Amino acid sequence: MKVLHIGDVVGAAGGQFLMDHLPAIKREHQIDMTIVNGENSAQGNGITKHSMEQIFTAGADVITTGNHCFKRREALSIYENPTVLRPANYPDGCAGHGVCTVDFGPWQAAVLNLSGTAYLDPLDNPFTIVEQLLEEIETPNIFVDFHAEATAEKKAMGYFLAGRVTAVVGTHTHVQTADETILAGHTGYLTVVGMTGPEESILGVAVQPAMDRFRFHFPTRFTEAEGSCFCNGVIITFDQKCGKCTKIERLILR
Ligand code: FE2
């Protein structure tokens, strides 16, 4: 079986590019399940009902998010959908949920969304929370979207879950890393899957305002970059009987 995990969709252009290309990517690579990180899919980041529908229409089975999950007020109703996740380590009682199981008949797959806490919001400890959640998940096919800033925290999560989940894929920093590997002979790992949106940009944002903020240290209004888009993803091939990743390959579509 194959799971495709697509990196953070940025803005309207990223959503449109996904709609235009995801069906063909899924066909070409014979993808069984698709996970898309959608936390920047609304204009100006966050997720809206419209951007959620765009991602599902494109062909996602599960949408994951991250630190911008509650950026939009309407997001509260979005998380009533069982296949739209916010990080599981938000406090108890918070709207939404961080894990879901998708039933494919003869096999199931769980998707688990976590946020790092290094240089991000001080949420519950993701290592403690994932340990608790793993006890409740019944399928061996477990796919983790770890939305984190620090490379070291993402590496630590990879090794922490090695041998216990099918894949750990990092999101949030938008620049795809080239370190895909299989940990403990079982767990597919990639530090950052990348992004889907305008390529000539600073993480999807127009170059000039993002650059000016660094140069002059005054607040600038970020705008969406224009120009041609690309899509970054990773394909995880696995044995659905035991949850073991047998192959991991990065994907960049321009
Ligand atoms: Fe993020």
Side-chain angles (χ1 to χ4, degrees), residues 44-216:
N45 72 34
I47 182 167
T48 58
K49 192 160 182 287
H50 173 74
S51 67
M52 173 194 76
E53 281 167 359
Q54 207 172 24
I55 295 170
F56 279 135
T57 303
D61 295 291
V62 177
I63 298 176
T64 52
T65 59
N67 55 311
H68 295 309
C69 60
F70 294 121
K71 183 96 177 184
R72 304 306 179 102
R73 192 180 291 268
E74 63 186 285
L76 288 172
S77 64
I78 285 173
Y79 295 103
E80 287 169 11
N81 184 323
T83 53
V84 183
L85 305 181
R86 49 95 174 136
N89 50 328
Y90 269 80
D92 277 349
C94 180
H97 45 275
V99 59
C100 70
T101 301
V102 185
D103 191 351
F104 290 92
W107 62 283
Q108 291 77 39
V111 182
L112 215 161
N113 195 184
L114 290 164
S115 172
T117 54
Y119 314 117
L120 278 176
D121 292 338
L123 302 175
D124 294 345
N125 187 309
F127 295 85
T128 310
I129 296 295
V130 74
E131 194 94 87
Q132 292 165 2
L133 289 172
L134 287 182
E135 284 176 22
E136 296 161 16
I137 295 172
E138 289 175 355
T139 172
N141 309 309
I142 303 170
F143 297 84
V144 176
D145 178 328
F146 190 37
H147 197 80
E149 179 79 37
T151 302
E153 192 179 17
K154 287 183 262 204
K155 296 277 290 183
M157 185 60 79
Y159 283 107
F160 185 65
L161 296 177
R164 301 199 280 170
V165 304
T166 308
V168 177
V169 171
T171 56
H172 176 66
T173 50
H174 291 199
V175 178
Q176 189 178 79
T177 55
D179 62 336
E180 71 275 25
T181 186
I182 298 176
L183 302 174
H186 186 100
T187 300
Y189 174 83
L190 177 64
T191 298
V192 188
V193 61
M195 61 165 270
T196 297
E199 184 165 8
E200 191 175 300
S201 68
I202 296 179
L203 313 185
V205 168
V207 170
Q208 196 65 50
M211 192 165 67
D212 285 349
R213 187 177 289 187
F214 282 106
R215 288 181 69 202
F216 304 123

